[in-house]
Amino acid sequence: MSKFSLVAMGGTFDIIHRGHLTLLSNAFSISDKIIIGLTSDEFAQKKGKLTINKYDKRLENLIE
């Protein structure tokens, strides 16, 4: 049985690294239902982030 019924998290996830993988793994270890918000290109730019990948590629990488 999962510890939580739902976990929500979000980020830019530009280049998936070990920290991202740990965060995602921990989320899935405590719940079967995870909501992942992915920052839009516009929002990332507004917040001063210089992304290497555009939204579609970041989404594809996150799904993989």
Side-chain angles (χ1 to χ4, degrees):
M1 185 160 111
S2 298
K3 187 172 181 178
F4 297 98
S5 59
L6 178 66
V7 170
M9 56 191 296
T12 305
F13 298 100
D14 189 25
I15 302 295
I16 304 291
H17 55 73
R18 183 175 294 194
H20 289 130
L21 297 175
T22 299
L23 181 69
L24 292 163
S25 177
N26 287 340
F28 282 99
S29 74
I30 61 174
S31 181
D32 294 326
K33 295 180 184 178
I34 313 296
I35 296 173
I36 303 172
L38 182 60
T39 305
S40 69
D41 292 333
E42 296 80 12
F43 187 76
Q45 184 178 23
K46 181 179 176 181
K47 293 298 181 182
K49 293 191 178 240
L50 301 173
T51 59
I52 294 170
N53 296 300
K54 296 292 182 195
Y55 179 89
D56 291 339
K57 181 62 176 170
R58 292 186 285 120
L59 178 59
E60 180 184 320
N61 290 342
L62 191 55
I63 290 170
E64 287 178 13

